[in-house]
Amino acid sequence: MANVLRHLPELEGMELGYIQGLMKNMDEDQASLFAQVYRARRKDAQMILILTLIGFFGFAGLHRFILGQVGLGILYILTFGLCFIGTIVDLVNYKSLAYEFNIKVAHETMNMLNANYPGEAMNTTV
């Protein structure tokens, strides 16, 4: 069983618990590889907050582009953050936006590692 905090000390809260569930049956090498890929692709909630604040005071929708939601990003640009209401809602929910993105990234990372190393099947259940 891999120690999540040793591989990903920056995780906290719900994300920590979720990733711990994904990594529970990994050995140290698998956990290290997963942590490297996941760390490179995940988004920090504080970065999403900063980008949302920039959207509130200037360029709306930047955080949506970073989260891979290009359609919503364009909509936010064209409607000034849905008349600032969408941006305000995103300011309140920035942690859940980052969490949802990071969970999707964790599953993509697990699938990618399972496809590349089929003989060393990693646990994908939580």
Side-chain angles (χ1 to χ4, degrees):
M1 179 171 169
N3 184 350
V4 177
L5 289 176
R6 188 158 104 246
H7 294 284
L8 294 163
E10 67 271 14
L11 298 184
E12 57 187 30
M14 292 187 327
E15 185 181 8
L16 174 63
Y18 192 84
I19 299 301
Q20 187 172 10
L22 283 178
M23 294 177 69
K24 68 181 174 186
N25 292 332
M26 292 183 189
D27 63 26
E28 289 300 316
D29 292 334
Q30 292 170 334
S32 177
L33 183 59
F34 174 83
Q36 289 174 355
V37 174
Y38 180 69
R39 181 179 288 124
R41 298 183 64 207
R42 74 181 288 273
K43 303 295 182 208
D44 184 43
Q46 299 303 317
M47 182 184 69
I48 302 301
L49 175 63
I50 291 168
L51 293 173
T52 307
L53 284 170
I54 289 171
F56 191 71
F57 295 109
F59 191 70
L62 189 58
H63 63 290
R64 293 291 183 165
F65 285 107
I66 297 298
L67 293 172
Q69 300 170 343
V70 176
L72 276 174
I74 292 170
L75 182 65
Y76 273 51
I77 288 171
L78 296 176
T79 62
F80 299 106
L82 300 175
C83 298
F84 295 108
I85 294 171
T87 303
I88 292 169
V89 169
D90 288 349
L91 278 171
V92 173
N93 295 321
Y94 74 95
K95 284 188 179 184
S96 65
L97 290 171
Y99 175 73
E100 290 168 7
F101 179 82
N102 290 337
I103 294 308
K104 185 178 81 169
V105 165
H107 281 287
E108 290 172 357
T109 303
M110 288 294 291
N111 290 336
M112 181 182 67
L113 294 177
N114 283 335
N116 289 333
Y117 302 101
E120 303 175 18
M122 295 183 193
N123 182 25
T124 58
T125 59
V126 177

